[in-house]
Amino acid sequence: MSDTVTSRLSGFHKLPMEERLAQIGRMFRLSDEELEQLRGVGTLEPVLANQMIENAVGIFSLPLGLGLNLNVNGRDYIVPMAVEEPSVVAAVSFASKIVRESGGFVAEADESMMIGQVQVSNYGDPTLASERILDAKEEILALANSFHPAMVARGGGARDVEVRLLPAPEGPRGEPLLIVHILIDTQEAMGANLINTVAEGVAPLIEQVTGGRVYLRILSNLSDKRLARATCRIPLSMLADFDLPGETIAEGIAQASRFAEADPYRAATHNKGVMNGIDAVAIATGQDWRSIEAGAHAFACRGGQYRPLSTWYLEEGHLVGRIELPLALGTVGGPIKVHPGVQVALKLLRVSGVRELSMVFAAVGLAQNFAALRALGSVGIQKGHMAMHARSVAVTAGARGGDVEKVANLLVKAGHVKVEKAKEILASLILEKPAVAVTITNG
Ligand code: NDP
């Protein structure tokens, strides 16, 4: 695929679904089979589902949308997003449009350094045990790498050993916790399985070196040596909206950021907004989103208080946004090469590797956050959100086809987006329709 693909697809949201699909098919030269996978038909065969998890009985579907307008480090990305919540895809596309007109997102990502943890107990003197482990570092690394020669050949593998002594939690023994960290570059993989193999593999050597007993051996989902960062700088003049000057909108966003930095109650909701975007791309691209969520929230707490993953401030006539979070992603492993829908999603994203993927994820999180704060810090979120939510409410009330849009519009107009109201509106629409002759064929 050439690099001339643009993510600026004007009027895309107004097209019927089939025409959107046809446009994407032409842009990415998708085969009929790939188009079927985007459409969700036969995406995951039951036989495959049965091999992926236990007690499988079927397939669960989610809507797949495309986040548009995203530009990161001068490159355009069309972002596949699997999500059930209205307004998430629109918000990313809207925010990305403003940011691209301001020069786009600038992003970077660390190498794929993951942490394997080994918990040692009954080791005697803590200082001596720690020293012994560090003295045996080269031996531990060599043993670790012996379990994954292919990873070493790829340029990855075990890189370092760290020892942490943690104060003992309340309990009878009082022994400090001795935790060994093995740092492993997992290259294009998220790495959970290979880290767990290594952690289990080196445990006997660690027992031998310390004379202690090893209990847990598993990766940490707080992958804080595998961070991705994105920033954007938006001129204040570009923020004017809702009959408000750009300065006022920017001040609202900066105030929202200050609120989240000071208050964990607000930070949790702030970060939920960030994860709205990140989770949606994670699901579409076959990532372990529970691990991403766990890592993000643990990272948000790193200073002892839960804080926002992104911050916003005013600087020299610009609104500046920054995000930093751990992103343990993969372009191989887990379901990525197994799930055919994931393959098409990654084809649309056109990333050259996992670090570029992480940069896109970080930018999507910041875009999502910008869209939410922009509304929250000015006219409030309900106006825009309810307009989108009204469609789901209309469907819940029983509206189908052309009635969905009609009922949704009337709900918003009534300022009362509730299922009961939607049922009322739907009933009145049905009464207005000309009667259709019905032939009773049996009974
Ligand atoms: P896999 O074990 O499925 O795949 C990773 C393997 O892919 C590597 O070990 C490597 O094997 C191979 N590979 C091929 N090409 C490359 C490349 N370029 N770079 C790196 N590896 C390559 O997955 P992961 O180890 O990534 O683990 C992810 C899965 O583990 C997810 O499904 C997750 O849900 C699950 N999991 C998560 C846990 C958690 O988060 N706490 C715990 C346990 C499991 P080889 O070297 O042999 O070719």
Side-chain angles (χ1 to χ4, degrees):
M1 185 62 51
S2 81
D3 203 45
T4 54
V5 164
T6 175
S7 62
R8 178 84 195 92
L9 305 183
S10 185
F12 190 76
H13 69 285
K14 293 186 191 139
L15 296 176
M17 202 166 172
E18 274 305 310
E19 283 181 37
R20 287 186 205 133
L21 204 53
Q23 184 174 346
I24 291 298
R26 285 191 298 275
M27 278 177 74
F28 290 89
R29 295 192 203 98
L30 299 180
S31 66
D32 288 347
E33 200 185 318
E34 287 170 326
L35 284 172
E36 285 295 276
Q37 266 140 25
L38 283 184
R39 207 178 263 120
V41 179
T43 300
L44 190 60
E45 295 295 338
V47 66
L48 211 50
N50 197 32
Q51 284 157 3
M52 287 172 77
I53 63 160
E54 313 74 38
N55 295 351
V57 291
I59 318 292
F60 183 86
S61 306
L62 279 176
L64 178 72
L66 298 180
L68 300 182
N69 305 321
L70 190 75
N71 182 280
V72 185
N73 297 337
R75 193 160 193 244
D76 270 19
Y77 297 91
I78 289 178
V79 186
M81 304 175 81
V83 63
E84 86 297 346
E85 187 178 343
S87 84
V88 168
V89 178
V92 159
S93 306
F94 170 79
S96 298
K97 184 161 174 275
I98 294 184
V99 174
R100 75 181 283 121
E101 285 161 8
S102 319
F105 291 96
V106 175
E108 57 175 27
D110 297 339
E111 56 187 342
S112 307
M113 196 65 76
M114 297 290 285
I115 300 168
Q117 296 196 292
V118 179
Q119 179 194 10
V120 194
S121 184
N122 296 83
Y123 48 75
D125 180 69
T127 313
L128 195 61
S130 306
E131 279 170 8
R132 282 181 176 158
I133 293 166
L134 292 176
D135 286 346
K137 183 189 280 193
E138 293 310 319
E139 206 184 337
I140 295 170
L141 290 177
L143 180 62
N145 281 329
S146 72
F147 298 113
H148 267 292
M151 194 57 75
V152 179
R154 282 186 195 102
R159 289 279 159 76
D160 206 356
V161 175
E162 293 174 349
V163 178
R164 298 166 64 231
L165 279 171
L166 307 178
E170 303 256 323
R173 188 162 318 138
E175 177 185 69
L177 293 174
L178 175 55
I179 310 298
V180 184
H181 278 191
I182 320 282
L183 308 189
I184 305 167
D185 178 350
T186 61
Q187 299 275 296
E188 287 297 307
M190 181 266 188
N193 288 321
L194 76 98
I195 293 163
N196 295 343
T197 306
V198 168
E200 290 184 10
V202 299
L205 176 58
I206 290 174
E207 283 186 335
Q208 188 193 316
V209 165
T210 58
R213 160 94 201 270
V214 163
Y215 285 87
L216 268 72
R217 299 142 292 164
I218 186 155
L219 89 155
S220 168
N221 283 115
L222 174 52
S223 46
D224 61 357
K225 297 189 189 299
R226 196 176 184 176
L227 302 176
R229 291 162 281 271
T231 61
C232 62
R233 280 175 71 84
I234 309 170
L236 298 186
S237 56
M238 292 192 58
L239 293 167
D241 208 343
F242 313 116
D243 290 330
L244 294 169
E247 285 77 4
T248 308
I249 303 272
E251 184 55 32
I253 295 172
Q255 286 291 345
S257 181
R258 295 179 65 223
F259 184 2
E261 281 184 74
D263 181 7
Y265 286 92
R266 172 58 211 151
T269 324
H270 179 109
N271 289 344
K272 191 275 180 182
V274 167
M275 301 315 285
N276 268 346
I278 290 180
D279 282 348
V281 205
I283 294 170
T285 58
Q287 309 300 324
D288 183 337
W289 73 94
R290 289 86 55 207
S291 107
I292 297 172
E293 281 280 344
H297 298 298
F299 185 70
C301 271
R302 67 196 179 284
Q305 179 184 316
Y306 189 88
R307 290 186 191 281
L309 295 164
S310 60
T311 50
W312 297 87
Y313 54 92
L314 291 135
E315 187 182 80
E316 296 165 355
H318 289 75
L319 174 72
V320 181
R322 290 183 188 283
I323 188 167
E324 182 178 46
L325 79 165
L327 281 168
L329 310 182
T331 58
V332 298
I336 293 162
K337 299 279 185 205
V338 178
H339 193 301
V342 166
Q343 286 305 301
V344 187
L346 284 171
K347 183 168 177 174
L348 298 190
L349 261 179
R350 304 176 311 131
V351 290
S352 60
V354 76
R355 285 171 84 172
E356 191 180 345
L357 186 65
S358 302
M359 294 179 212
V360 171
F361 270 56
V364 165
L366 192 57
Q368 193 77 53
N369 181 232
F370 167 78
L373 299 191
R374 174 182 161 276
L376 281 170
S378 56
V379 291
I381 205 160
Q382 283 308 75
K383 192 167 174 272
H385 192 78
M386 276 308 177
M388 310 244 188
H389 179 56
R391 285 206 291 264
S392 312
V393 172
V395 173
T396 308
R400 295 292 180 268
D403 282 349
V404 175
E405 213 57 43
K406 279 186 210 157
V407 174
N409 287 339
L410 289 168
L411 279 173
V412 173
K413 218 170 171 182
H416 188 50
V417 185
K418 292 273 186 299
V419 175
E420 281 314 309
K421 182 72 184 167
K423 282 183 180 165
E424 233 175 73
I425 294 172
L426 189 60
S428 67
L429 285 181
I430 290 166
L431 281 177
E432 280 170 18
K433 282 183 186 162
V436 178
V438 178
T439 313
I440 298 172
T441 52
N442 70 9

